[in-house]
Amino acid sequence: MPAESNRAGGAEAQPEVHPLAAPLVAGHRRALARAITLAESSRPDHQQEAQRLLAEVLPHAGRSVRIGLTGVPGVGKSTFIEALGLHLTGAGHKVAVLAVDPSSQRTGGSIMGDKTRMPGLTADPNAFIRPSPSGGALGGVARRTREAITLCEAAGHDVILIETVGVGQSETQVAAMTDVFVLLTLPNAGDELQGLKRGIMERADVCVVNKADTDPAATNRAQSELAAALHLLTPRLADWQPRVLQSSALRGRGLEEVWAAVQDFMSSPERVERKRRAQTGTWFDDLLREAAWERLSAGIDVAELRRTRSQVLAGTLTPVQGVLNLMPPTGA
Ligand code: GDP
């Protein structure tokens, strides 16, 4: 059989190398941007292509420091990323900045918004900035961001900064996909800390009191209070005690210390590997649950679902009975 017809023949055909793979791995920005766009597309044929490309470049991924950054709006996240990013590109790193905003309905137009927030990095050939993807299908924003991380890594970016833009779920999502999770707070953050979800503080590997220039005494106080609060929590990782530092992103102070803490965290390959494996495991489980639910819910009659739910609420069915009634017979 001629090679051509064999290729078109389906099952045994060897998939061709995706045309974006080589330029992506060579670090061409346009290829990286196009690959991320492909992965963000919800068209089924694009999705298939993107999965193939991701599988192809996967061996080139994984060699970066993935840093998550969170904090209330106005705490200085963009300023901090701009300053740290420029510091790192100046030291020879290739930096990628991604954002996670689960509520994002943004379109191409708002890319400018992100870029004007970080003018220095935007103009820096060793930095790549990408706004938050919008929701969409299976895995939504979190999946698209994880795929963007893989693609950026394959393109040679060795520092990936992932910023939470939205409120709500984005902190948890970012913490679940980064090696080092950094929480930025303010010098007079008493109220802010009270309001901060406990879960977020528990997940922080490094806390930074930013805007130290505005009130050094309050910054020192906030730093000790935060350290004391963190000490009361059970550390998530047995071999890492969260650090509390100070910075002035505006004046470029304290950035080396934050970077040193990040490097310290990364200095144990076992710790990083353990964290990444746990994250991948959780991600797989979540995706599977979501995919299973999507498939199953497509076969559930909505009217029957409503009826069953009312019966459960009225107490004529137990929740377990209700769920079992709605499940398709096993073996079907
Ligand atoms: P984001 O909403 O968390 O991204 O915060 P931005 O980076 O946009 O910063 C909000 C405001 O705080 C801006 O006006 C910044 O110039 C200012 N800002 C950020 N970092 C510092 C800092 O370290 N010191 C001072 N004085 N102002 C800062």
Side-chain angles (χ1 to χ4, degrees):
M1 192 186 271
E4 276 307 306
S5 62
N6 190 24
R7 237 207 316 271
E12 296 137 59
Q14 285 295 313
E16 289 168 39
V17 175
H18 195 284
L20 282 176
L24 175 73
V25 171
H28 295 304
R29 298 163 65 94
R30 262 181 65 82
L32 173 58
R34 285 180 57 200
I36 295 178
T37 303
L38 192 67
E40 286 178 356
S41 166
S42 44
R43 265 177 52 180
D45 57 327
H46 286 173
Q47 273 304 306
Q48 267 187 1
E49 244 190 87
Q51 292 309 314
R52 205 180 93 207
L53 176 63
L54 279 159
E56 274 166 19
V57 302
L58 203 56
H60 300 276
R63 290 184 285 270
S64 80
V65 187
R66 304 169 186 164
I67 305 170
L69 264 139
T70 194
V72 295
V75 71
K77 293 183 294 298
S78 332
T79 313
F80 189 89
I81 290 174
E82 164 96 340
L84 180 64
L86 288 172
H87 174 72
L88 293 174
T89 56
H93 292 280
K94 267 184 86 176
V95 175
V97 180
L98 306 173
V100 168
D101 180 358
S103 64
S104 171
Q105 294 301 324
R106 302 195 216 183
T107 53
S110 63
I111 291 174
M112 287 322 291
D114 283 293
K115 295 197 166 172
T116 46
R117 289 192 303 132
M118 300 167 198
L121 274 184
T122 302
D124 190 328
N126 287 315
F128 177 85
I129 302 178
R130 184 85 181 187
S132 179
S134 51
L138 182 65
V141 171
R143 162 175 163 189
R144 283 150 210 264
T145 309
R146 281 171 191 270
E147 290 173 345
I149 293 175
T150 301
L151 294 167
C152 288
E153 288 178 348
H157 290 273
D158 62 334
V159 180
I160 319 275
L161 294 164
I162 303 149
E163 177 196 13
T164 61
V165 176
V167 281
Q169 279 205 317
S170 58
E171 303 97 340
T172 322
Q173 290 186 341
V174 171
M177 62 176 82
T178 47
D179 302 321
V180 188
F181 189 54
V182 179
L183 170 67
L184 292 188
T185 67
L186 294 166
N188 292 299
D191 296 343
E192 181 202 337
L193 283 184
Q194 297 281 316
L196 205 71
K197 276 170 278 164
R198 189 188 155 100
I200 298 310
M201 233 168 72
E202 270 173 356
R203 298 193 78 146
D205 303 301
V206 179
C207 292
V208 186
V209 186
N210 188 39
K211 304 198 184 182
D213 56 290
T214 58
D215 190 340
T219 303
N220 288 334
R221 257 195 325 272
Q223 187 178 15
S224 352
E225 281 171 17
L226 202 48
L230 282 170
H231 236 88
L232 295 177
L233 300 175
T234 319
R236 284 178 73 86
L237 303 171
D239 55 355
W240 180 261
Q241 181 60 42
R243 308 277 169 86
V244 186
L245 304 166
Q246 308 188 357
S247 73
S248 167
L250 197 64
R251 307 231 168 123
R253 288 209 317 257
L255 304 169
E256 286 89 351
E257 286 80 356
V258 175
W259 179 240
V262 167
Q263 283 181 304
D264 221 359
F265 186 97
M266 299 302 289
S267 68
S268 160
E270 300 79 40
R271 174 167 49 223
V272 176
E273 183 54 27
R274 218 181 320 124
K275 195 168 179 185
R276 287 187 179 184
R277 279 173 67 92
Q279 289 174 338
T280 307
T282 309
W283 187 32
F284 175 74
D285 295 344
D286 288 349
L287 274 182
L288 186 61
R289 203 174 299 118
E290 193 180 328
W293 164 246
E294 269 179 25
R295 181 165 297 186
L296 188 63
S297 60
I300 291 180
D301 178 352
V302 178
E304 197 191 340
L305 172 61
R306 284 217 192 92
R307 209 167 33 247
T308 308
R309 195 163 191 278
S310 317
Q311 288 172 320
V312 169
L313 296 187
T316 52
L317 273 182
T318 70
V320 173
Q321 285 173 320
V323 169
L324 290 176
N325 285 356
L326 286 169
M327 291 299 105
T330 47

